[in-house]
Amino acid sequence: MKLDFSIILPWLPNFGAALIVTVQVTICSLLLGLVLSVPLSLCKISNLRPLQVFADFYTSVFRGVPLLVQVFMMYFGIPLVLPVKFNAFQAGTLVFAMNSAAYISESMKGGIRAIDRGQYEAAMALGVHYPSMMKDIILPQAIKSVLPSLVNEFISLLKNTTLISSIGLVDILRVGQMIQSKTYRAFEPFFVIAIFYYVLVMLLSTLGKYLERRVNKSDRH
Amino acid sequence: MIDIKGLYKDFGALHVLKGITLHIDQGEIISIIGPSGSGKSTLLRSINLLEEPTFGEIWVEGRLITPPDPYLHPEVIRASNTYKKLSGTADDAQLIARIKKEDLLYEKHEGAEYRRLLREITGKNFQSAYEVRKKIGMVFQHFNLFPHMTVLENMTYAPVKVLGISKEEAAERARRLLTQVGMLDKIGVYPSTLSGGQKQRVAIARTLAMEPDIVLFDEPTSALDPEMVKEVLDVIKALAKTGITMVLVTHEMGFAREVSDRIVFLDEGVIVEDADPATFFSTPKSDRAQAFLEKVL
């Protein structure tokens, strides 16, 4: 079979719009996931048993249920039993965010635990209150040590966003499926899509390396 | 200035401090020495509540920083249901001694009057850990500088955050103190670029930036290479001349002898000797202090 990439050309505007959707979903879920992961990791390291149990249960649910099932649950299932209504973008972003929060909080927990007891003691001895101590002393150091796994999490998040095409949002993958059904060609559109994702992931990991270098400047001798 | 009364500290089944009573006056410089495992650091760390005492009370500047200990207040014991139940079996003094010795009080069963008296002691005198830590600085064995902050940020963070002074004032204070410890040229660097001795000098300056009334030193030179010990001791010596109250845990016997007003010798969780340095080092009274000094001098 002869390959003809020119069939993609008329779809470029659709790809452009879809790329924006993919990036939007990724960034929104990433930020929301990070925000959610902080209280979650604090619960995990807390001395209060109920908070610990809650956070561990939360993580086990999001780890234990396939992501596609979570997406369907949020989009089709929840609105039937609760008085809420999501569009596909909101449902997808919320699920991805809650899902990443589960994973990020787990590595954040490790990062917080790895911080020397002396850092807490120095902060306490200076009269610093718990919230400021966590915000200004402990978490900045913990985030630094979890940055590599954070970048991994962002990358899998970006790739996972393809699942929102299954609830009807037009992301990059969905455009490919549209081309396929219109032109009966599969190689060209999916090849282009593969390249799209590959480039995006490369950009993310470069950004990750840059960030890592920046936060490590305090270690330089 | 600091009053430690009947202090006990258990770590599970391990009894680290067994009834410490110690008074420290304003401006006094006290060295706590003793074999390792004798409870020196635990005692020091209790003063700013990095360790919570199991029993006993600590008073700082006339105010209570621990929960009140009923066993230290005969009138509270007399108000307890346990005392009332047992009264008649022995005279007052014997009964109080027995209740203390056998740890018979049980908070929940001692009645309203007992709890009211305890609350009264707390209400009149209590200050929180946060309040007291503003006034008591601590210098650690391992410095514990914040690695993600520059020297300047290390020094201004708590004064701005905790004392609420302006950034400019805090920076001014930092420059003055860094000059004092000979570290002004390192004001903009991160701690990882400093040697151990330099880190400890910055850590001392950071503690002083809170303008504490009391400074606790927890083996400040134990983690240093030998050639760096002197520069840190010199800074502490200079500080000792300013009239600030200091409590040191140290293994540097010559230094303890030189700077201290009093030596407190601790062994197995009790104070065995409490004397001026000349007396302690030349004619220690107890066998245990003699044996210890023979080993370290």
Side-chain angles (χ1 to χ4, degrees):
Chain A
M1 172 173 184
K2 228 176 119 247
L3 294 181
D4 177 12
F5 280 96
S6 66
I7 59 146
I8 302 294
L9 288 176
W11 295 87
L12 279 183
N14 303 57
F15 268 123
L19 181 66
I20 290 172
V21 170
T22 295
V23 169
Q24 268 176 348
V25 172
T26 308
I27 290 180
C28 290
S29 359
L30 189 137
L31 293 180
L32 189 57
L34 251 183
V35 169
L36 287 175
S37 75
V38 171
L40 210 52
S41 55
L42 291 179
C43 285
K44 284 179 182 173
I45 58 154
S46 134
N47 293 327
L48 297 173
R49 193 80 193 120
L51 290 182
Q52 271 179 32
V53 170
F54 161 76
D56 287 341
F57 177 68
Y58 176 98
T59 301
S60 71
V61 167
F62 282 91
R63 266 182 176 171
V65 177
L67 193 51
L68 189 57
V69 177
Q70 294 174 30
V71 171
F72 284 173
M73 191 57 163
M74 187 65 82
Y75 187 59
F76 300 117
I78 301 272
L80 294 181
V81 291
L82 292 178
V84 285
K85 188 124 186 63
F86 302 116
N87 61 31
F89 179 87
Q90 290 162 340
T93 305
L94 201 54
V95 165
F96 296 142
M98 291 170 82
N99 194 75
S100 338
Y103 285 95
I104 297 172
S105 67
E106 199 59 21
S107 36
M108 198 96 87
K109 175 179 84 175
I112 293 173
R113 287 240 174 100
I115 287 169
D116 183 47
R117 184 85 216 124
Q119 293 291 310
Y120 292 88
E121 291 185 349
M124 285 193 279
L126 288 165
V128 180
H129 283 255
Y130 183 84
S132 306
M133 172 171 82
M134 293 316 279
K135 179 168 83 64
D136 301 327
I137 310 290
I138 305 302
L139 286 176
Q141 296 184 58
I143 286 174
K144 190 172 117 180
S145 70
V146 302
L147 207 61
S149 57
L150 222 51
V151 171
N152 285 340
E153 177 53 35
F154 294 168
I155 288 171
S156 49
L157 181 61
L158 171 71
K159 293 188 289 184
N160 285 340
T161 58
T162 50
L163 292 175
I164 49 168
S165 61
S166 62
I167 51 173
L169 207 60
V170 184
D171 72 333
I172 304 179
L173 179 63
R174 188 93 192 97
V175 174
Q177 290 167 333
M178 284 153 63
I179 300 175
Q180 186 192 12
S181 61
K182 275 270 162 54
T183 64
Y184 303 108
R185 283 178 170 274
F187 184 85
E188 293 91 340
F190 291 119
F191 186 75
V192 170
I193 285 165
I195 288 180
F196 260 119
Y197 278 105
Y198 182 74
V199 169
L200 282 176
V201 167
M202 285 304 111
L203 282 177
L204 254 186
S205 47
T206 312
L207 180 73
K209 288 209 183 83
Y210 166 76
L211 280 178
E212 233 171 286
R213 265 205 312 278
R214 270 208 52 176
V215 298
N216 281 338
K217 70 174 191 272
S218 60
D219 291 339
R220 227 181 284 146
H221 288 254
Chain B
M1 172 134 275
I2 303 175
D3 243 317
I4 299 170
K5 296 179 181 170
L7 186 68
Y8 286 79
K9 175 67 183 177
D10 301 342
F11 290 107
L14 188 67
H15 308 298
V16 179
L17 298 178
K18 301 176 221 168
I20 301 282
T21 295
L22 182 64
H23 176 81
I24 297 167
D25 266 329
Q26 175 142 22
E28 255 192 317
I29 296 169
I30 298 209
S31 292
I32 304 172
I33 63 174
S36 61
S38 57
K40 307 181 294 283
S41 283
T42 307
L43 172 57
L44 190 77
R45 291 157 55 83
S46 301
I47 298 175
N48 67 349
L49 295 180
L50 287 186
E51 305 289 355
E52 268 177 54
T54 310
F55 290 111
E57 290 178 356
I58 300 175
W59 297 70
V60 173
E61 296 177 345
R63 288 170 71 198
L64 191 59
I65 65 169
T66 55
D69 181 348
Y71 294 112
L72 295 173
H73 302 276
E75 76 281 8
V76 175
I77 298 181
R78 280 188 207 107
S80 71
N81 286 338
T82 304
Y83 180 91
K84 286 171 198 152
K85 206 160 49 189
L86 294 172
S87 66
T89 58
D91 71 33
D92 177 70
Q94 278 173 333
L95 195 52
I96 285 178
R98 182 181 157 209
I99 289 173
K100 273 190 204 178
K101 188 156 176 285
E102 296 176 21
D103 186 12
L104 293 177
L105 295 181
Y106 185 58
E107 181 98 37
K108 283 189 182 131
H109 299 159
E110 300 304 349
E113 177 63 5
Y114 168 91
R115 285 199 300 275
R116 192 187 65 76
L117 283 174
L118 280 183
R119 267 202 309 277
E120 205 179 279
I121 296 170
T122 312
K124 265 198 304 229
N125 303 301
F126 190 71
Q127 59 181 337
S128 72
Y130 292 114
E131 264 178 273
V132 78
R133 284 171 186 158
K134 284 185 207 170
K135 295 180 284 192
I136 303 184
M138 186 168 216
V139 174
F140 298 87
Q141 181 177 358
H142 295 286
F143 335 122
N144 300 343
L145 293 174
F146 304 130
H148 60 303
M149 296 183 182
T150 62
V151 166
L152 179 67
E153 287 162 352
N154 262 282
M155 294 206 45
T156 54
Y157 174 72
V160 170
K161 198 89 192 177
V162 178
L163 302 179
I165 69 174
S166 73
K167 272 202 170 127
E168 295 73 31
E169 195 185 341
E172 188 45 48
R173 203 182 270 189
R175 275 192 289 275
R176 177 167 51 79
L177 289 165
L178 286 172
T179 311
Q180 203 175 311
V181 300
M183 291 294 297
L184 187 61
D185 55 325
K186 301 287 187 188
I187 192 164
V189 309
Y190 285 97
S192 60
T193 63
L194 302 176
S195 72
Q198 292 175 323
K199 282 181 191 163
Q200 194 61 298
R201 285 191 276 154
V202 171
I204 293 171
R206 177 176 73 175
T207 302
L208 296 178
M210 295 292 287
E211 302 195 328
D213 301 335
I214 303 157
V215 182
L216 311 175
F217 290 87
D218 191 3
E219 305 195 21
T221 58
S222 297
L224 297 176
D225 291 334
E227 75 269 22
M228 293 168 183
V229 169
K230 191 175 172 296
E231 64 183 68
V232 171
L233 292 185
D234 285 344
V235 167
I236 301 175
K237 262 184 231 167
L239 188 59
K241 295 202 181 83
T242 63
I244 197 167
T245 309
M246 300 192 340
V247 188
L248 301 115
V249 169
T250 182
H251 294 294
E252 300 285 336
M253 293 303 144
F255 172 72
R257 181 174 193 159
E258 189 185 332
V259 302
S260 311
D261 299 314
R262 259 162 72 201
I263 303 282
V264 170
F265 177 72
L266 209 63
D267 191 24
E268 294 182 2
V270 291
I271 293 178
V272 180
E273 284 197 43
D274 182 344
D276 65 275
T279 313
F280 177 80
F281 284 103
S282 55
T283 50
K285 285 196 273 314
S286 65
D287 295 344
R288 281 190 282 180
Q290 278 167 20
F292 174 75
L293 286 175
E294 265 164 39
K295 268 184 238 157
V296 298
L297 287 182

